[in-house]
Amino acid sequence: MSSFPLVIDLDGTLLHTDMLHESVVQILRNSPQITLSIPFWLLQGKAVLKKNLATRVDFDVSTLPYNLELLNWLKQQKLEGRKLILCTASDISIATKIAEYLNIFDEVIASDGQVNLGGRFKAHALINRFGSKEYDYIGNSNDDLAVWEHARKAIVVNFSNLLYKKVELQCEIERSFPSPTLNFGVWRRAFRMHQWLKNLLLFVPMLAAHQLANAGTWHSLIIAFLSFSLCASSVYIANDLLDLESDRQHPRKCKRPFAAGNIPIWMGVLLAPVLFCSSLLLGQFVGATFILWLLFYFGLTCAYSWGIKRLVLLDCLTLAMLYTLRILAGASAAEMSLSFWLLGFSVFLFLSLAFVKRYAELEVQLLSGNLKVHGRGYYTSDAVLIQTMGITSGYASILVLALYLNSDIVSSLYRLPEIVWLAVPIMLFWVSWMWMQAHRGKMHDDPLVFAVKDPASLLSGLLFAVVLMIGAIGLPW
């Protein structure tokens, strides 16, 4: 057992995140007007900035993304009698709260509103406290090189090869903890590429109008699909950043890349606007009206992320509108008009799916013993009412479909309109099946993601397409 104290950095070392970035994101979500003060605080120094932010945020430190491998090693060092010091450039109030939760540190040294305890300032503080070469230090960045220069031994965490070589030149490396792998799979989950399936709704107006042979329409819709997908990814990233605390309290969402600390917050802050601008550039090739629908979608999703998702019922209505907006944007890209029937069917069906999503979340929270959903306006006792409204909305969409199939327009579009009536029992089964799975607790956080992996849903979709195709082209005999 070493008699030398072990000094541990916090941001990016003990945590897979940075508390300054976490503070800014929380302020942006809860009190966006305060962000206007950030440049003025920064002019007074980073220590002043961190102090002002710390007094205006409140974290549930139990859900933060800790470096568990390092933390378990530190606990073992503590059991062996080693003195552990948390030394960080984060504000003292935040550092103390984390230290009290972990209950393994003998001392906390941090920024105090006057001195930003990073780099050479941290090195001076440790030299004054312990003496040069009288402590071992755990860090993760180039800012820590000034500290390692006066440390006895180094433990390097979340490091690059270049940083590792620099540390080797300054002191002996006792141990290292490599960075989590940032591969394509992590980025795919951050972009929510599986959610791009929703943007296939852009093609619905073309299919409904039987314009599959129009090459120009296909070209416009493919570009529109890519544009919408990039826009959606930018919104998902922004939403994940604003929803960090709620996601970390969810049994599945806590594994999302930003909530888990697999991707730094600053990368998301830079990436979201880049994706949105790329989306607008692609949208220019589709048309001005499509751009307007795209901007409306972006604005509505931002409003949803910032506040609507916390409003009972309005959140589900907004989700239904976001689905329907894709169909409206698709009609614009294909330069087609939409019928009342398609819009009515879509709104009721998507409202039902939005209620499925919320019902599934309520069931998860209910099983966890919670009375209220964090970051939402619902109580778990609302689940039964949400279920009733969702099933009613789903059946209302099928009623609209049945009325549409009895209209004169069907006779002009389909050779065998009587065959198309089989779409009604197929939809009745699928809506009932989705709600049955939700009731049994088998529903994914997103019903469309569940549907594309569910054999019964895929079979229902195939049968629905076959019925429409036979109705359109007739039987081969």
Side-chain angles (χ1 to χ4, degrees):
M1 189 270 293
S2 174
S3 60
F4 291 90
L6 185 57
V7 181
I8 305 98
D9 181 39
L10 180 65
D11 301 312
T13 303
L14 184 58
L15 290 175
H16 287 304
T17 188
D18 187 298
M19 294 310 296
L20 174 60
H21 301 161
E22 295 267 346
S23 299
V24 172
V25 168
Q26 191 179 115
I27 288 290
L28 183 62
R29 184 196 66 210
N30 296 337
S31 307
Q33 71 280 2
I34 295 180
T35 57
L36 298 175
S37 301
I38 289 179
F40 300 100
W41 293 335
L42 185 57
L43 287 174
Q44 301 174 59
K46 290 186 71 174
V48 174
L49 170 65
K50 291 175 181 179
K51 174 61 70 176
N52 278 286
L53 290 174
T55 59
R56 290 167 173 81
V57 296
D58 184 27
F59 293 102
D60 181 355
V61 295
S62 66
T63 64
L64 291 173
Y66 293 95
N67 187 331
L68 296 181
E69 184 182 2
L70 173 61
L71 184 57
N72 290 333
W73 183 74
L74 291 175
K75 290 178 179 178
Q76 183 60 40
Q77 295 294 304
K78 181 68 175 178
L79 289 175
E80 293 176 5
R82 196 164 190 186
K83 189 175 183 180
L84 303 184
I85 313 296
L86 181 62
C87 186
T88 174
S90 286
D91 189 74
I92 185 67
S93 61
I94 293 176
T96 301
K97 192 173 182 180
I98 291 173
E100 289 174 350
Y101 167 71
L102 295 176
N103 196 30
I104 61 172
F105 295 105
D106 298 282
E107 189 176 341
V108 178
I109 306 173
S111 299
D112 58 3
Q114 297 180 358
V115 177
N116 181 52
L117 207 71
R120 59 187 180 87
F121 293 104
K122 181 184 289 189
H124 291 159
L126 292 176
I127 292 171
N128 292 335
R129 176 68 179 82
F130 303 109
S132 182
K133 303 297 180 179
E134 296 295 320
Y135 62 89
D136 297 341
Y137 181 70
I138 306 178
N140 74 298
S141 70
N142 285 316
D143 289 342
D144 295 316
L145 290 173
V147 186
W148 276 314
E149 182 181 357
H150 299 279
R152 185 183 71 99
K153 289 185 179 181
I155 295 91
V156 192
V157 180
N158 297 335
F159 55 90
S160 65
N161 291 332
L162 180 59
L163 176 64
Y164 193 90
K165 292 176 181 178
K166 289 180 179 179
V167 178
E168 278 186 316
L169 296 175
Q170 295 191 330
C171 65
E172 177 188 349
I173 297 179
E174 178 181 345
R175 183 165 179 168
S176 61
F177 294 85
S179 304
T181 304
L182 189 57
N183 54 27
F184 174 75
V186 176
W187 285 111
R188 176 179 55 80
R189 288 188 290 119
F191 278 44
R192 306 264 196 100
M193 293 180 70
H194 60 282
Q195 299 281 10
W196 290 11
L197 290 170
K198 296 176 182 178
N199 298 326
L200 292 175
L201 292 170
L202 291 162
F203 295 86
V204 167
M206 180 183 68
L207 297 174
H210 298 186
Q211 296 294 317
L212 295 178
N214 192 325
T217 300
W218 275 103
H219 179 264
S220 295
L221 285 173
I222 289 173
I223 296 176
F225 173 83
L226 294 174
S227 175
F228 234 86
S229 296
L230 292 176
C231 180
S233 289
S234 73
V235 171
Y236 286 131
I237 289 174
N239 183 70
D240 284 353
L241 292 176
L242 294 173
D243 226 14
L244 285 173
E245 287 182 279
S246 296
D247 285 351
R248 286 170 181 160
Q249 296 185 28
H250 193 279
R252 287 189 295 269
K253 293 180 181 180
C254 64
K255 298 177 182 178
R256 287 177 174 175
F258 292 104
N262 300 130
I263 301 178
I265 289 174
W266 67 266
M267 286 189 181
V269 172
L270 292 178
L271 191 58
V274 169
L275 290 173
F276 178 62
C277 292
S278 301
S279 168
L280 290 179
L281 287 175
L282 273 178
Q284 296 291 334
F285 295 98
V286 181
T289 307
F290 171 77
I291 288 288
L292 291 176
W293 283 118
L294 186 67
L295 290 172
F296 184 40
Y297 168 83
F298 179 77
L300 188 58
T301 49
C302 288
Y304 176 82
S305 297
W306 253 290
I308 294 178
K309 67 183 176 184
R310 298 178 180 84
L311 303 178
V312 175
L313 299 181
L314 285 179
D315 61 333
C316 292
L317 288 169
T318 302
L319 287 175
M321 283 299 300
L322 290 173
Y323 283 119
T324 308
L325 275 174
R326 290 172 166 91
I327 295 178
L328 291 166
S332 171
E335 297 182 348
M336 295 176 180
S337 59
L338 284 178
S339 69
F340 162 81
W341 299 109
L342 179 57
L343 285 176
F345 171 75
S346 302
V347 168
F348 281 116
L349 179 62
F350 296 142
L351 181 59
S352 180
L353 294 178
F355 280 131
V356 166
K357 175 181 174 67
R358 198 61 72 230
Y359 175 80
E361 291 177 351
L362 290 174
E363 285 292 291
V364 169
Q365 297 298 325
L366 184 62
L367 292 175
S368 300
N370 298 323
L371 296 178
K372 197 173 187 300
V373 182
H374 186 275
R376 299 289 187 271
Y378 294 91
Y379 294 91
T380 51
S381 58
D382 295 330
V384 175
L385 181 59
I386 293 296
Q387 183 184 44
T388 302
M389 291 188 291
I391 294 173
T392 303
S393 300
Y395 288 161
S397 71
I398 300 169
L399 177 60
V400 173
L401 175 63
L403 293 173
Y404 163 72
L405 294 177
N406 195 46
S407 66
D408 294 335
I409 193 173
V410 174
S411 300
S412 62
L413 284 175
Y414 295 92
R415 291 185 181 181
L416 297 174
E418 60 275 12
I419 293 293
V420 185
W421 269 95
L422 292 174
V424 173
I426 293 173
M427 285 299 300
L428 277 170
F429 166 79
W430 183 69
V431 169
S432 303
W433 173 259
M434 291 289 282
W435 276 102
M436 180 69 73
Q437 299 310 299
H439 179 72
R440 292 178 176 178
K442 297 180 180 180
M443 182 57 59
H444 188 274
D445 295 326
D446 193 306
L448 286 185
V449 174
F450 171 85
V452 298
K453 298 179 180 179
D454 174 49
S457 297
L458 292 174
L459 179 59
S460 298
L462 177 62
L463 291 175
F464 188 84
V466 168
V467 164
L468 294 183
M469 183 176 66
I470 293 175
I473 66 177
L475 294 169
W477 57 82

